[in-house]
Amino acid sequence: MKAEALKKRLDKNRPMTTITIRIPEDVIEDLKRIAPLLGFSGYQPLMRAYIGQGLRSDMERLEGDNISALIASLKRHGVSDEVIHEALTEVTQK
């Protein structure tokens, strides 16, 4: 994730939207019990944290897979490892 996008994600004043989701009652009770033990003010911030962690993990995995596929394709087309490394270094330093 680029630095600017990460800064936006860390902004506590980001716009929020209200949703409705059906979750089993026992899961909500567990969240309410665990939230203060993990330092959360309530179960909803804990749920947002869980969703954010899972989302970031999947985004990293999926975006990483795309990069790996691109690198493999470039190699099949005869692009040298040195050129690929230079290009990756260039785009990750921005």
Side-chain angles (χ1 to χ4, degrees):
M1 182 177 293
K2 294 195 178 204
E4 194 60 35
L6 184 57
K7 285 181 189 176
K8 287 181 182 178
R9 292 260 173 147
L10 295 175
D11 181 4
K12 294 193 184 287
N13 295 318
R14 289 187 305 172
M16 302 279 270
T17 188
T18 301
I19 64 166
T20 301
I21 184 170
R22 295 175 53 85
I23 298 177
E25 290 177 3
D26 62 313
V27 172
I28 296 297
E29 291 305 315
D30 289 343
L31 288 166
K32 286 179 179 179
R33 185 173 48 84
I34 295 297
L37 300 174
L38 295 175
F40 289 89
S41 60
Y43 76 96
Q44 290 180 351
L46 177 58
M47 287 177 57
R48 286 192 293 271
Y50 284 151
I51 291 168
Q53 287 171 354
L55 178 60
R56 283 188 299 279
S57 174
D58 285 346
M59 288 176 67
E60 182 179 313
R61 180 178 52 85
L62 295 172
E63 289 173 355
D65 286 348
N66 289 339
I67 291 171
S68 297
L70 175 61
I71 290 170
S73 177
L74 290 170
K75 287 181 179 184
R76 283 193 302 275
H77 285 84
V79 178
S80 71
D81 287 341
E82 182 180 336
V83 171
I84 292 171
H85 177 71
E86 288 176 13
L88 286 171
T89 300
E90 182 180 309
V91 297
T92 57
Q93 290 181 351
K94 289 184 178 182

